[in-house]
Amino acid sequence: MPEAVIFDYGVGNLLSLKTALEKAGLTVSIGATAKDLAKADAIALPGVGSFTAASSKLDAVTEILQTKIKEGTPLLGICLGLQLFFETSQEGPGDGLALFKGKNMQLVNTVKVPHMGWNTINIVKPNELFDGIAEGTYVYFVHSLYPVPKDKSIICTTTEYGTTFTSSVASKNLYGTQFHPEKSGDVGLKILKNFVKTVVK
């Protein structure tokens, strides 16, 4: 069975993601070193925490991450993990992985922030991650920032909350969701199973 490694950069919520990925069909471990990531058939950058703190932890593994991505290893970024795909964040200092050009912006203050709870996704570009997922499906969000990609062609879904924001992206073997699949019930499990299919091609 393929092995996924969840990179631990000091954020919470690792065990629920581990359980969900195991349910979806992967062997899953949690790692914090370049050596851990080197053996992975898939890599997940998890969910909750500070962009600045997480970006400093990523410094030690940026090189191996870039190597694995070039080799075609699927990478899934969730919430903060997705935001780290980009260059900078309004949340604070620090450099993301710059896998895509763009920045992370604060949600508008005309709505309650953080955006917490169920909301719908609008599918703007079909992708294998969303095979079998209907337009307007509800998924679970917990976030105060969202990515603004310079290249709009990578945007798979958008969501409305005070503004229209990017709620998922995909390009080649890179997949990112602003929502939490591991907290999104059967729909989230389906999305994770679709991710697993990209691992076992």
Side-chain angles (χ1 to χ4, degrees), residues 36 41 70 72 90 108 118 130 134 143 154 161 176 196:
D36 294 330
D41 300 306
K70 281 178 190 163
Q90 273 192 336
V108 294
W118 296 88
F130 295 98
H143 67 116
I154 68 171
Y161 189 72
V196 171

Side-chain angles (χ1 to χ4, degrees), residues 2-71:
E3 181 173 354
V5 174
I6 298 170
F7 183 66
D8 180 5
Y9 36 58
V11 302
N13 201 37
L14 301 185
L15 290 179
S16 61
L17 179 57
K18 181 175 186 287
T19 301
L21 284 170
E22 286 170 343
K23 242 186 230 183
L26 294 173
T27 299
V28 185
S29 62
I30 294 169
T33 67
K35 189 177 176 184
D36 294 330
L37 297 182
K39 65 183 182 181
D41 300 306
I43 296 168
L45 300 182
V48 183
S50 153
F51 183 93
T52 302
S55 66
S56 68
K57 294 266 178 68
L58 279 173
D59 285 348
V61 296
T62 297
E63 194 175 323
I64 186 66
L65 272 175
Q66 288 170 339
T67 299
K68 296 292 283 184
I69 291 163
K70 281 178 190 163
E71 290 172 354

Side-chain angles (χ1 to χ4, degrees), residues 163-187:
T163 186
T164 301
F165 69 86
T166 298
S167 51
S168 69
V169 303
S171 177
K172 299 179 182 173
N173 51 321
L174 299 176
Y175 306 89
T177 65
Q178 186 55 67
F179 58 88
H180 288 265
E182 77 282 7
K183 295 181 178 183
S184 298
D186 291 343
V187 169

Side-chain angles (χ1 to χ4, degrees), residues 40 42 51 78 103 105 107 138 166 173 193:
F51 183 93
I78 295 171
K103 59 188 175 181
M105 303 284 291
L107 283 164
Y138 279 86
T166 298
N173 51 321
K193 283 181 175 176

